């Protein structure tokens, strides 16, 4: 499996491709000031295998490298798997009117670490896709 950049130079999204280059998980990024909001989607047949976690961790590293301060998610309150994942990554979660917001403060002192992180062999690798 590979974690690849899907969009152009502004890095709007990342994806994980399975066999035969089929997209099985994707996250979309939206920056607002010093915050990066991330939306994650994983095909149902591939859920609970660590792909959403890999995408969120990759997004957090991307945000740190860019000098951003906060990683955000927004989901429905009944999306227990995403809320468990968010809390497991250290996000604070607030719920209101059936919706939930997760917020992870990114430490500035991890920016240098994020630039030198190499993903281990058990996790999806990140590399840019060739131009179409």
């Amino acid at each position: 499996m590979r974690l690849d950049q899907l969009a152009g130079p502004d890095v709007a999204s990342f994806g994980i491709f399975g066999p035969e280059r089929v997209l099985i998980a994707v996250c979309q990024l939206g920056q607002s000031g010093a915050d990066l909001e991330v939306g994650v989607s994983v095909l149902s047949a591939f859920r609970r295998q660590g792909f959403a976690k890999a995408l969120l961790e990759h997004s957090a590293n991307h945000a740190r490298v860019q000098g951003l301060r906060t990683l955000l998610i927004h989901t429905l309150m009944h999306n227990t798997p995403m809320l468990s994942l968010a809390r497991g990554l250290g996000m604070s979660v607030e719920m209101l009117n059936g919706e939930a917001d997760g917020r992870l403060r990114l430490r500035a002192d991890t920016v240098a670490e994020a630039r030198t992180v190499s993903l281990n062999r058990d996790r999806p690798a990140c590399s840019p896709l060739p131009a179409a």
Side-chain angles (χ1 to χ4, degrees):
M1 306 292 172
R2 290 176 29 152
L3 178 63
D4 290 308
Q5 183 176 338
L6 293 177
D10 58 346
V11 189
S13 56
F14 292 97
I16 297 176
F17 295 85
E20 300 176 22
R21 305 252 336 134
V22 173
L23 183 63
I24 60 174
V26 66
C27 71
Q28 294 179 309
L29 310 175
Q31 184 177 338
S32 176
D35 299 338
L36 183 68
E37 186 169 356
V38 180
V40 176
S41 183
V42 178
L43 289 176
S44 57
F46 295 92
R47 292 183 183 154
R48 299 187 180 270
Q49 296 181 37
F51 297 120
K53 181 178 180 182
L55 287 169
L56 284 174
E57 288 175 345
H58 184 77
S59 297
N61 284 332
H62 170 76
R64 286 182 186 107
V65 168
Q66 299 301 314
L68 303 177
R69 294 187 182 148
T70 309
L71 188 71
L72 305 170
I73 63 158
H74 181 79
T75 189
L76 296 174
M77 200 165 80
H78 68 268
N79 189 345
T80 306
M82 180 54 83
L83 294 174
S84 295
L85 176 59
R87 287 184 179 113
L89 293 173
M91 288 186 162
S92 62
V93 176
E94 295 180 15
M95 295 188 212
L96 181 65
N97 298 327
E99 297 183 354
D101 291 318
R103 175 179 301 272
L104 178 65
R105 296 274 180 211
L106 302 170
R107 297 187 333 244
D109 62 339
T110 60
V111 171
E113 281 178 35
R115 288 190 177 128
T116 60
V117 164
S118 62
L119 299 175
N120 67 41
R121 292 182 190 157
D122 296 333
R123 297 184 47 204
C126 176
S127 61
L129 282 176

